[in-house]
Amino acid sequence: MKLNIALLAGDGIGPEVINQAVKVCDAVAVKYGHEIKWIPALTGAAAIDAVGEPYPDETHKICINADAILFGAIGHPKYDNNPSAKVRPEQGLLKMRKKLGLFANVRPTFTFPSLIDNSPLKRERIEGTDLVFLRELTGGIYFGEKGRKDDGETAFDTCTYTRKEVIRLAKKGFELAMTRSKKLCCVDKANVLESSRLWRETVQAMEKEYPEVEVSYEFVDAVAMRLVQWPNSYDVLITENLFGDILTDEASVISGSMGLMPSASVGEKHYLYEPIHGSYPQAAGKNIANPLATILSAAMMFEDAFGLKEEAESIRNVVNKSLAAGVVTEDLSGDKKAYKTSDIGDWLVANL
């Protein structure tokens, strides 16, 4: 296959982890007879510095013409520490999701046998965990009306959803559940929020279309508690933007490191793959960041965007092999040898 992939390295450690993912993808392409064309594009703080816009039109053109998008991370302290900044890297991420129609964030959470004791949670609580969150990405409080009034003394952010937005996200959740254990949990706050009541009644109406799927409805605060008590009681969870943002970060500690967890943001036409971690500016340029989340995101890309399951599995297998061999960066090494970011990429390529 000929694969045209937009490459958005972004900020902080983004370029470093992206470089290792490119190494691995290129090695997989050689092994299986594919041809990858990488098309670099600016986003985030790097794009603001270059052209004054966090998601430039040129980047958008590259993304819409690509077969898939591999994304690093965005964010920079000079914007994080300036609440009055008019242009921010995160605005580019929201704009990109909206313009590309990336309405569903698919974020798996699973454990690695060789790292299960790295988690702050007890082994007996997390062993066997294999769940997937589908978080709605283009609606809710992040995109609702917001502003100040009363001379700036009062601020407001409005959470708005349409039934159509709920249906398209829930449909992906039901379809994913059908490929797994046929269990789906709708996470909301329907005892308080009208938008959550819309979510619940919409999903309830869809149940008859998927009679084999067992559907449960839980309040977000209860799910937050159960995620650290019995995470393996869940399989597929669907939820709105803000709740999903918080819960997926909470779930990431189950694996033992945010540097291990991949994700995808998908729409009807476009597919973007990214690690769940941020730009980690403190580590930028030090060659110490864990690239495995980005590399595993690339594995998701091979399987989901291109239907290349064997290629994806080869990446996951070699990642598991590296973890079992202790070829890890400092976030996972403990008192043992820590490998550099680039060393991890080289080792994976050599062992593919």
Side-chain angles (χ1 to χ4, degrees):
M1 290 181 69
K2 291 186 177 181
L3 313 175
N4 295 309
I5 304 173
L7 196 64
L8 278 57
D11 309 319
I13 62 171
E16 297 170 61
V17 295
I18 280 284
N19 285 344
Q20 307 318 308
V22 167
K23 281 184 192 175
V24 172
C25 289
D26 284 343
V28 168
V30 170
K31 180 176 180 179
Y32 290 93
H34 304 302
E35 180 183 331
I36 299 178
K37 180 181 179 183
W38 300 101
I39 309 105
L42 290 170
T43 191
I48 297 174
D49 292 344
V51 299
E53 161 65 50
Y55 183 62
D57 290 342
E58 181 60 30
T59 297
H60 183 62
K61 290 177 186 176
I62 289 171
C63 289
I64 61 175
N65 289 315
D67 299 320
I69 304 158
L70 190 61
F71 179 60
I74 61 167
H76 195 282
K78 68 181 177 183
Y79 299 100
D80 298 339
N81 298 328
N82 181 9
S84 63
K86 300 299 183 186
V87 182
R88 314 180 70 84
E90 292 76 15
Q91 291 170 343
L93 186 57
L94 297 180
K95 184 178 178 182
M96 177 168 60
R97 289 171 179 168
K98 199 73 171 180
K99 290 188 73 173
L100 293 173
L102 305 175
F103 64 85
N105 180 238
V106 184
R107 190 178 290 192
T109 297
F110 46 85
T111 55
F112 299 86
S114 59
L115 295 178
I116 201 158
D117 292 322
N118 284 53
S119 174
L121 302 180
K122 293 179 180 178
R123 169 186 285 263
E124 58 266 28
R125 293 200 180 275
I126 63 173
E127 211 157 25
T129 296
D130 179 12
L131 59 87
V132 183
F133 271 98
L134 270 75
R135 164 193 169 194
E136 202 288 325
L137 273 187
T138 58
I141 200 166
Y142 293 166
F143 290 93
E145 184 182 355
K146 53 180 60 53
R148 297 284 184 100
K149 58 185 181 180
D150 302 331
D151 295 324
E153 296 301 304
T154 302
F156 62 92
D157 298 274
T158 308
C159 182
T160 303
Y161 270 106
T162 65
R163 195 177 302 276
K164 181 180 177 181
E165 288 174 318
V166 179
I167 288 172
R168 67 182 184 178
L169 190 282
K171 183 174 184 290
K172 284 199 174 290
F174 276 109
E175 290 172 350
L176 181 60
M178 285 294 294
T179 68
R180 293 169 57 91
S181 66
K182 299 181 181 178
K183 288 172 56 181
L184 179 72
C185 178
C186 177
V187 184
D188 60 35
K189 193 62 177 169
N191 57 336
V192 177
L193 301 177
E194 191 62 34
S195 57
S196 281
R197 286 189 277 274
L198 174 68
W199 269 78
R200 187 170 289 212
E201 70 182 46
T202 301
V203 176
Q204 286 175 338
M206 296 175 69
E207 285 188 38
K208 61 181 180 295
E209 301 171 38
Y210 303 90
E212 295 178 58
V213 178
E214 177 189 344
V215 185
S216 61
Y217 300 86
E218 295 188 34
F219 298 144
V220 61
D221 43 344
V223 173
M225 176 181 68
R226 286 186 62 191
L227 268 180
V228 295
Q229 291 181 311
W230 310 288
N232 56 15
S233 66
Y234 292 114
D235 186 38
V236 178
L237 303 95
I238 58 172
T239 192
E240 60 95 66
N241 208 339
L242 176 61
F243 297 162
D245 193 359
I246 296 167
L247 291 174
T248 52
D249 275 11
E250 181 194 12
S252 72
V253 304
I254 293 170
S255 70
S257 173
M258 286 187 76
L260 292 171
M261 289 290 102
S263 78
S265 298
V266 302
E268 301 296 345
K269 297 180 180 178
H270 304 292
Y271 309 86
L272 179 146
Y273 298 87
E274 62 179 312
I276 71 165
H277 59 67
S279 60
Y280 192 15
Q282 302 91 330
K286 296 181 181 179
N287 202 22
I288 60 172
N290 189 341
L292 293 183
T294 310
I295 291 164
L296 289 170
S297 297
M300 288 182 72
M301 177 181 68
F302 274 109
E303 181 164 4
D304 300 339
F306 304 129
L308 301 174
K309 293 185 178 182
E310 187 177 345
E311 288 83 339
E313 196 61 25
S314 71
I315 294 175
R316 288 190 280 263
N317 286 341
V318 78
V319 165
N320 281 323
K321 186 177 178 181
S322 72
L323 294 172
V327 182
V328 295
T329 43
E330 64 176 31
D331 58 314
L332 297 173
S333 63
D335 57 0
K336 298 179 181 177
K337 176 186 176 181
Y339 287 73
K340 297 296 185 182
T341 307
S342 55
D343 294 336
I344 301 294
D346 292 340
W347 193 95
L348 295 174
V349 167
N351 285 272
L352 272 166

